[in-house]
Amino acid sequence: MTALRTGQTMDDAATILGLDLPAVWARARTDTRLTIALAGRDPEAADERHRVARAEYLRLLALGVAPTRAQLILGAGHPGSWRGDDPAFAQACDAVSAASAPYGYTGMTRLTTERVARFLQALRQPETTVLAAAAAQEAGRV
């Protein structure tokens, strides 16, 4: 990182350190500081810490976490104020939430004796598949 901070190119820095570029790219997937350095910025700057926090919030939204739960996970109430302070960030949050909606938490279906009984009753119908019986039970048609 020091080499990148002092203006060396990625190829030169990797060669000096004896690293191959594919290894650097692989490491950048999980090393946020390295990723920031590769983007040509100082990972120690205060602005970068704020950028990383916003990126983490968006990542949580993309994984289907509800905004209030994402704030709890991050341990800060900032995201709500970030949305109000930055219209572009608010749009990004809305877009990411909309794109990840199919993957969000929908609640767990509890397996009760009544549900099992409805499933088995549906399964007894001639030519009913397991998937069809489960769908009928879930829809309450049994």
Side-chain angles (χ1 to χ4, degrees):
M1 290 230 230
T2 303
L4 294 174
R5 258 193 229 134
T6 58
Q8 287 184 355
T9 68
M10 169 49 66
D11 294 357
D12 292 342
T15 301
I16 290 168
L17 295 171
L19 301 172
D20 64 347
L21 287 176
V24 174
W25 305 140
R27 177 74 186 258
R29 289 183 202 132
T30 58
D31 187 332
T32 304
R33 294 178 68 238
L34 175 59
T35 304
I36 292 168
L38 290 172
R41 299 185 313 269
D42 182 0
E44 303 301 325
D47 287 348
E48 295 306 324
R49 286 193 300 276
H50 296 296
R51 187 183 326 271
V52 168
R54 288 178 186 221
E56 285 297 313
Y57 182 72
L58 289 171
R59 180 184 69 85
L60 291 170
L61 294 181
L63 293 172
V65 175
T68 53
R69 179 75 42 97
Q71 289 180 16
L72 291 172
I73 291 169
L74 291 174
H78 307 316
S81 64
W82 294 338
R83 291 176 63 91
D85 296 341
D86 186 349
F89 181 69
Q91 286 180 327
C93 290
D94 292 342
V96 168
S97 292
S100 65
Y103 311 107
Y105 177 75
T106 58
M108 294 181 73
T109 301
R110 293 189 53 157
L111 188 60
T112 63
T113 52
E114 293 83 15
R115 288 182 179 193
V116 170
R118 286 196 310 258
F119 169 75
L120 293 174
Q121 181 182 351
L123 197 55
R124 285 188 196 106
Q125 301 303 314
E127 299 182 23
T128 300
T129 65
V130 171
L131 290 176
Q137 184 285 135
E138 197 61 34
R141 293 190 306 245
V142 179

